[in-house]
Every structure is written in C-alpha cells, then in structure tokens.
Amino acid sequence: MKKIAERQKEWASLKYLVLAKSQPDYLAIRKLFVDNHWDAEKEWAFRRYLQHALVQPTKKGELLNAYQHVWGYFKTKATEDERQHYQSLIENFSINEDEVLPFLKELTVKYQEAYLLQSVLLFPKEK
C-alpha cells in the first residue's frame, strides 16, 4: 500500500501539468489508479505516460483546459472582480504572454488551496 500512496502523491502534484500537455496521457494515468493496486507494470506505464506527456509542445486548448480545472477550485470562492478578471484573461489568452498562470498562482496562495500549492503546473520544482 505504501507504493500506491507514494504514486498518488506524485500524481497529485503532476496531474495538471500532464493535463496541460496531453489529455490522452492524463486519462491513461488516471486509469492506473482506479483499483488502488500498484505493481511493476503500472509503474512502467506511469513513467512512460509521464515521459510522453511532458515532452509534448504546449497547445493552447490543452493548457486552457488545465487552467479551467484549476479555476474550479476558486469559482465559488473568488470575488466578482476575480471572476471577471479571470474571464477576461481567458478570452484574451496567449501562450506567449500567459497572464492566466500568474493569476491562478496568486489565487492559490490567497485562498491557501493546499492541493494546488503542491501542483507542479503552478509551482514548478527547482532542479
């Protein structure tokens, strides 16, 4: 049971980054966790899907999809001004001048969303 808990924690930190890169890999990895069982085959598949996803070029639609999932943590907490600002950022989104990511980071810290504070999409780990 210890290995599955370790992988679940790792997945929790990586899931939105993977979703931002490759929805098919995201969905495949999610399926690995459905039965709360972990073995060498699942470990291999997990690593393979992660590797594949993380080398994909960033695409606007997939990145916005991941941002929408993150926004879900705030949609009932955010002020009206924050909601309007988020909507404006989404409507004018550009990968080259991404203003959504810093805004979502700001909200994560403001509202102390513990799950998102561990997200590598929002807070990349230093190497």
Side-chain angles (χ1 to χ4, degrees), residues 4-120:
I4 185 80
E6 290 172 5
R7 287 305 158 262
Q8 287 170 330
K9 184 177 180 183
E10 182 179 5
W11 175 233
S13 72
L14 292 168
K15 70 189 286 184
Y16 294 120
L17 178 60
V18 171
L19 182 60
K21 295 289 205 163
S22 170
Q23 188 170 14
D25 290 317
Y26 169 87
L27 294 171
I29 291 172
R30 265 187 24 178
K31 286 181 184 176
L32 296 175
F33 290 98
V34 296
D35 64 1
N36 267 346
H37 166 74
W38 204 255
D39 58 24
E41 187 175 322
K42 284 188 176 186
E43 180 72 21
W44 181 84
F46 180 67
R47 297 291 160 208
R48 185 172 49 99
Y49 290 130
L50 277 179
Q51 270 188 328
H52 181 263
L54 297 178
V55 298
Q56 299 307 305
T58 303
K59 296 181 190 113
K60 182 178 180 177
E62 289 187 332
L63 185 56
L64 283 174
N65 181 38
Y67 287 166
Q68 293 285 50
H69 278 78
V70 171
W71 171 252
Y73 286 84
F74 306 113
K75 64 182 178 187
T76 60
K77 297 177 181 180
T79 65
E80 187 56 36
D81 284 347
E82 289 167 339
R83 280 189 200 89
Q84 288 177 7
H85 185 60
Y86 174 75
Q87 196 57 45
S88 173
L89 293 176
I90 290 296
E91 289 170 7
N92 299 301
F93 180 74
S94 164
I95 287 179
N96 297 327
E97 295 180 30
D98 185 352
E99 296 180 40
V100 179
L101 180 62
F103 183 64
L104 291 173
K105 288 167 102 170
E106 180 184 311
L107 292 179
T108 298
V109 172
K110 175 182 177 180
Y111 293 108
Q112 285 297 293
E113 277 297 332
Y115 190 79
L116 294 178
L117 286 167
Q118 305 304 313
S119 175
V120 176

